[in-house]
Amino acid sequence: MRVIIILIFSFISVFPQVNVQETQVADGVVHKKIINTNDTLVINILKIDIKKPDISILAVKANELLNTKETTSQMVKRYKISGYDVIAAVNADFFESDGEVVSNMISNGQIVKAVKFSDSPFNPFTNSQIASDADDNLYIEQFVFSGNLILPNGNVEEISRINSKSDSNSITLYNHFQGKITPPSSREWYVVDFVLFPLLSIGDTLKFVAAAKTTLRNFEIPKEGIILSSNNKYAHYLEREIKIGDTLRIVYNFSPKIKNIKSLTGGWPVLVKDGMNMIRRNTSIEGVTDKFSEQRHPRSGIGYSADKRTLFLITVDGRQPMSKGMTLIEFTDLMINEGVFNGLNLDGGGSTTMVINDKVVNSPSDATGERLVGNCLMVIRK
């Protein structure tokens, strides 16, 4: 009898109890749900044929504002009300307590946030990000922003960032994603802001006309224009060089250079590169900590196949009796087994959320339910 019992347990361990369900959500979009009761895991995988002409991916900021939060399903609902045909969505970048995303972000071709370095306390360089261009080609890179202001006299000055709080002795741009007014700056700084309205766009160069100048703090940001904010030595310099009515040129660049970026959002860290498990090669990649990497947590991730035709959105539930979560190595192995050739970790934990056809299909781990997050990635029909 004792031998039979041992054989039974051996049989169970060799053949784990795994239930796999696949559902076609839309033409070119398949939802795969894996319930593994042996390993105590619940996994949701959305496979998207991103090369279908009617399907695209869109990075969406909570409330279309840098410093606010929404749930992923709230963002989906808001976009559907405004006329978008949203198939699915997943939470995206890590974010600050006020909702500001950690890394660069572009939504529908408009810059939400652009910085040279991510605001991550763990990574001295910049976190990896995922981008898609106008043709829905996909890229995972450590994108770095650079910008230039070209004055009427031909002088070129560096733009340090777009939206987000400025540094001393710098030039910063603010658009409608920042909110109604420019953010506060140090009272000791001398600040001069210029109101710019767009004239035309030629490639990556934008032409603006200087319509107004102010030294007031918390100045109103025009809906159809931008604020060029300068402080200290740059404020004194630009106050002399820029006259109302002048035409200014501004050049935005991201390195590596990708033309016509439509959507861009961050994650942390890169998990799969050219089919290789990057966590196995370097357990502290991009400043990842042991606690974050080696403990089992809910996970969210995004990736694409070797031919860049299939986009994968993946969530793993965790911190719950029915699903314990995954380590980063396990999550990366899952990605590779499913066909991901290049993959990126997104914000996980209580943020992990996948919405398909208006329904949250995973089980967010927070006791209060779906968490307010900084942004999300949507799969839409054009």
Side-chain angles (χ1 to χ4, degrees):
M1 178 64 70
R2 292 173 66 185
V3 174
I4 293 174
I5 291 173
I6 292 171
L7 287 174
I8 289 173
F9 280 114
S10 176
F11 178 84
I12 291 173
S13 65
V14 172
F15 297 97
Q17 299 173 19
V18 180
N19 181 15
V20 179
Q21 302 172 351
E22 288 202 6
T23 306
Q24 185 164 338
V25 176
D27 186 24
V29 182
V30 174
H31 174 212
K32 181 178 180 181
K33 192 176 190 78
I34 303 171
I35 301 174
N36 186 330
T37 56
N38 189 64
D39 288 338
T40 323
L41 287 170
V42 177
I43 301 164
N44 285 278
I45 301 167
L46 200 67
K47 296 184 284 187
I48 304 111
D49 185 350
I50 201 65
K51 291 304 180 181
K52 280 196 167 293
D54 62 334
I55 291 179
S56 187
I57 187 170
L58 179 64
V60 174
K61 185 66 187 73
N63 296 304
E64 309 305 307
L65 291 169
L66 182 70
N67 302 112
T68 62
K69 296 181 284 188
E70 279 184 296
T71 66
T72 301
S73 57
Q74 284 172 340
M75 285 182 259
V76 169
K77 182 178 181 180
R78 181 164 55 81
Y79 263 64
K80 293 196 78 168
I81 289 172
S82 65
Y84 282 84
D85 187 356
V86 183
I87 300 171
V90 68
N91 70 289
D93 197 5
F94 296 80
F95 55 93
E96 308 290 351
S97 59
D98 63 357
E100 179 177 337
V101 289
V102 168
S103 298
N104 296 314
M105 182 178 175
I106 296 175
S107 178
N108 246 341
Q110 294 183 300
I111 294 178
V112 179
K113 178 179 177 179
V115 292
K116 291 183 180 299
F117 307 101
S118 66
D119 294 329
S120 167
F122 305 105
N123 190 4
F125 182 45
T126 179
N127 289 350
S128 291
Q129 301 140 62
I130 184 162
S132 64
D133 63 17
D135 296 319
D136 287 303
N137 296 308
L138 302 167
Y139 310 88
I140 294 176
E141 300 283 356
Q142 289 179 293
F143 289 99
V144 176
F145 168 75
S146 63
N148 288 315
L149 168 67
I150 305 172
L151 297 170
N153 62 10
N155 287 353
V156 180
E157 305 299 338
E158 181 185 18
I159 297 169
S160 65
R161 56 179 59 208
I162 299 176
N163 298 327
S164 197
K165 197 172 181 180
S166 60
D167 304 311
S168 178
N169 295 310
S170 66
I171 300 171
T172 302
L173 301 182
Y174 298 107
N175 60 26
H176 65 91
F177 284 104
Q178 178 64 46
K180 292 183 178 181
I181 58 175
T182 56
S185 58
S186 172
R187 291 183 180 181
E188 290 76 30
W189 292 359
Y190 180 62
V191 176
V192 176
D193 289 350
F194 298 87
V195 181
L196 307 184
F197 288 103
L199 293 174
L200 71 145
S201 172
I202 305 172
D204 57 5
T205 302
L206 306 174
K207 282 191 175 182
F208 291 86
V209 61
K213 177 178 70 173
T214 181
T215 56
L216 297 175
R217 304 296 176 93
N218 308 121
F219 194 69
E220 183 178 355
I221 301 171
K223 282 188 177 180
E224 301 303 325
I226 64 173
I227 297 290
L228 187 156
S229 183
S230 58
N231 62 62
N232 299 331
K233 67 178 183 180
Y234 272 111
H236 292 289
Y237 170 59
L238 295 184
E239 190 175 32
R240 185 193 69 191
E241 294 296 327
I242 299 175
K243 305 293 185 293
I244 302 306
D246 278 353
T247 298
L248 308 174
R249 287 177 291 160
I250 293 175
V251 181
Y252 304 140
N253 281 309
F254 286 90
S255 177
K257 190 173 179 62
I258 305 295
K259 289 185 178 180
N260 302 318
I261 295 178
K262 181 182 62 178
S263 285
L264 173 69
T265 188
W268 179 70
V270 63
L271 298 179
V272 187
K273 188 172 180 64
D274 298 336
M276 292 185 291
N277 187 322
M278 299 303 290
I279 305 301
R280 289 190 185 278
R281 297 186 67 184
N282 180 6
T283 56
S284 60
I285 189 170
E286 295 182 41
V288 163
T289 63
D290 292 344
K291 181 179 178 181
F292 180 77
S293 176
E294 296 176 4
Q295 293 184 5
R296 290 188 168 88
H297 296 288
R299 304 286 182 181
S300 298
I302 188 169
Y304 52 85
S305 58
D307 61 4
K308 293 192 175 185
R309 186 174 187 97
T310 304
L311 174 70
F312 297 84
L313 305 180
I314 303 175
T315 63
V316 177
D317 290 335
R319 302 174 186 167
Q320 300 170 77
M322 52 71 176
S323 189
K324 63 188 177 183
M326 283 184 165
T327 67
L328 273 190
I329 284 181
E330 291 169 340
F331 190 47
T332 308
D333 284 340
L334 169 67
M335 280 188 163
I336 293 170
N337 290 338
E338 289 295 326
V340 172
F341 192 67
N342 287 284
L344 177 66
N345 187 62
L346 300 175
D347 187 16
S351 299
T352 290
T353 307
M354 182 181 287
V355 178
I356 300 176
N357 287 337
D358 305 330
K359 181 182 177 183
V360 178
V361 297
N362 73 307
S363 179
S365 64
D366 283 0
T368 52
E370 192 180 349
R371 181 180 289 185
L372 297 166
V373 296
N375 67 347
C376 77
L377 282 159
M378 289 183 191
V379 180
I380 61 170
R381 284 193 187 90
K382 296 179 183 177

